[in-house]
Amino acid sequence: QVQLVESGGGLVQAGGSLRLSCVASGRIGSSYAMGWFRQAPGKEREFVAAVSGSGDSTGYADSVKGRFAVSRDNAKNTVYLQMNSLKPEDTAVYYCAARPSGSYYYGARYYNYWGQGTQVTVSS
């Protein structure tokens, strides 16, 4: 019953930045924790970042710590992923996901709703 739509992906040079957005249908407010995951060809989907329903708590994979920042604007029903200092290894399809709880988890299995993904390609 929740639809998620990602946007903001594209082609960027190494060292550059992108901001991804994910808009949720309806009004989910602080009722849903939101996560970002990514999947590169031949690899499993991996956790990237997550934010609690209220936005007061965040978590990151070690591979993106210090470079990425997740945030949300519940008034706009939107979650963001600011990606800085991008590396070719960050190239993947990025997905946002929603969990019907205010608290987040790192595992993809804990998220009930998924967007279709947006491609991020980082050139060397």
Side-chain angles (χ1 to χ4, degrees), residues 14-57:
S17 299
L18 285 173
R19 189 181 75 160
L20 306 184
S21 299
C22 174
V23 179
S25 64
R27 304 294 300 187
I28 60 174
S30 60
S31 298
Y32 289 77
M34 301 293 295
W36 285 98
F37 296 79
R38 66 187 182 187
Q39 188 166 23
K43 295 187 176 181
E44 295 185 354
R45 189 167 299 184
E46 66 174 341
F47 169 79
V48 176
V51 59
S52 63
S54 64
D56 63 355
S57 180

Side-chain angles (χ1 to χ4, degrees), residues 46-96:
E46 66 174 341
F47 169 79
V48 176
V51 59
S52 63
S54 64
D56 63 355
S57 180
T58 58
Y60 300 92
D62 288 342
S63 59
V64 306
K65 183 180 179 181
R67 299 189 297 121
F68 291 10
V70 62
S71 62
R72 66 191 297 162
D73 185 341
N74 285 340
K76 296 182 178 180
N77 239 25
T78 301
V79 63
Y80 304 96
L81 183 67
Q82 178 67 46
M83 305 185 294
N84 299 320
S85 301
L86 283 162
K87 305 174 181 179
E89 294 76 21
D90 296 317
T91 295
V93 176
Y94 283 71
Y95 300 89
C96 66

